[in-house]
Amino acid sequence: SYELTQPPSVSVSPGQTARITCSGDALPKKYAYWYQQRSGQAPVVVIYEDSKRPSGIPERFSGSSSGTMATLTISGAQVDDEADYYCYSTDSSGNYVFGTGTEVTVL
Amino acid sequence: EVQLVESGGGLVQPGGSLRLSCAASGFTFSTFWMTWVRQAPGKGLEWVANIKEDGGQKYYVDSVKGRFTISRDNAKKSLYLQMNSLRAEDTAVYYCASSRFNMVGYMDVWGKGTTVTVSS
């Protein structure tokens, strides 16, 4: 089955840049989406179609994709950004999958 | 208000069945893909199944194929997940989500989830 691989954790100081990677064989042909999940809450999409930011999501969140890797960047991370982040994409058969998840710590 | 509300979770014995429901309000339910996502205790998110606007296409994660059935009733603005032959590993919070921007991967509205516990 298709897998998306992320680092388990990323730690960043307030105001610094956090980068979260997502590796998957189908990413050259399929879009990546990024979801933020704060503790005890439902997920929220922060990036769609690799690099687009939904209305209401701060500009410090950005996304990119190159080859088999998608990247979520948080520029000028804030304490409020502490959460788990998941990439999400599809394989060629219509099935979707979440990445393994990355815990972001801002301290 | 745009809203999704899940119900139907609970405690069930291994091998048992449950039917989850997700009631939509505040948007045109019948025109969007819908998805079930689950999260086991302390674990990451897992896509379970999704269904096209008219119910004509359905997809499932391999681990639930043949046991779970996703369906919808557009007249009732409701999404369902029939879960049979439940296993301990199906224990999770189950979320329903909608994709209102014609991008299946962009799930913009989520419910708060309903908890399913499979245990004897």
Side-chain angles (χ1 to χ4, degrees):
Chain A
S1 61
Y2 186 45
E3 295 181 349
L4 295 172
T5 303
Q6 300 178 229
S9 62
V10 167
S11 184
V12 63
S13 300
Q16 299 303 302
T17 297
R19 292 183 178 85
I20 305 165
T21 57
C22 171
S23 178
D25 289 341
L27 290 177
K29 296 183 179 180
K30 300 297 183 181
Y31 285 123
Y33 300 80
W34 289 94
Y35 287 85
Q36 175 195 66
Q37 187 183 32
R38 295 191 173 99
S39 181
Q41 298 185 20
V44 173
V45 59
V46 293
I47 293 291
Y48 67 99
E49 290 190 334
D50 291 345
S51 59
K52 299 175 183 176
R53 192 175 53 250
S55 173
I57 300 300
E59 291 184 8
R60 62 181 180 273
F61 288 90
S62 63
S64 62
S65 187
S66 178
T68 60
M69 186 168 291
T71 302
L72 173 68
T73 301
I74 310 174
S75 304
Q78 300 183 5
V79 173
D80 188 53
D81 299 331
E82 284 202 340
D84 294 326
Y85 291 84
Y86 298 88
C87 58
Y88 182 65
S89 188
T90 182
D91 60 17
S92 57
S93 61
N95 297 318
Y96 276 80
V97 64
F98 282 97
T100 49
T102 300
E103 180 181 22
V104 171
T105 303
V106 183
L107 50 75
Chain B
E1 180 189 5
V2 174
Q3 196 174 8
L4 294 171
V5 179
E6 303 95 337
S7 61
L11 174 64
V12 61
Q13 292 188 342
S17 298
L18 275 179
R19 188 194 195 206
L20 305 185
S21 299
C22 170
S25 59
F27 65 98
T28 310
F29 176 81
S30 61
T31 58
F32 305 117
W33 279 78
M34 295 294 296
T35 300
W36 286 101
V37 173
R38 68 183 179 183
Q39 188 167 36
K43 302 296 185 182
L45 300 173
E46 181 180 35
W47 170 79
V48 175
N50 58 12
I51 184 170
K52 196 169 185 262
E53 302 91 343
D54 61 0
Q57 293 181 42
K58 304 175 185 181
Y59 299 93
Y60 300 90
V61 67
D62 286 347
S63 60
V64 309
K65 284 180 181 175
R67 301 189 299 123
F68 290 11
T69 302
I70 189 172
S71 63
R72 64 192 297 161
D73 185 333
N74 287 340
K76 295 183 177 179
K77 302 185 72 171
S78 292
L79 175 73
Y80 305 102
L81 187 67
Q82 178 66 44
M83 305 186 296
N84 299 330
S85 303
L86 283 162
R87 306 167 180 167
E89 54 264 37
D90 296 318
T91 295
V93 175
Y94 285 73
Y95 297 98
C96 66
S98 67
S99 300
R100 298 185 307 146
F101 293 95
N102 291 320
M103 290 172 272
V104 182
Y106 182 166
M107 296 176 285
D108 66 305
V109 182
W110 292 68
K112 295 186 184 301
T114 186
T115 300
V116 172
T117 303
V118 184
S119 175
S120 55

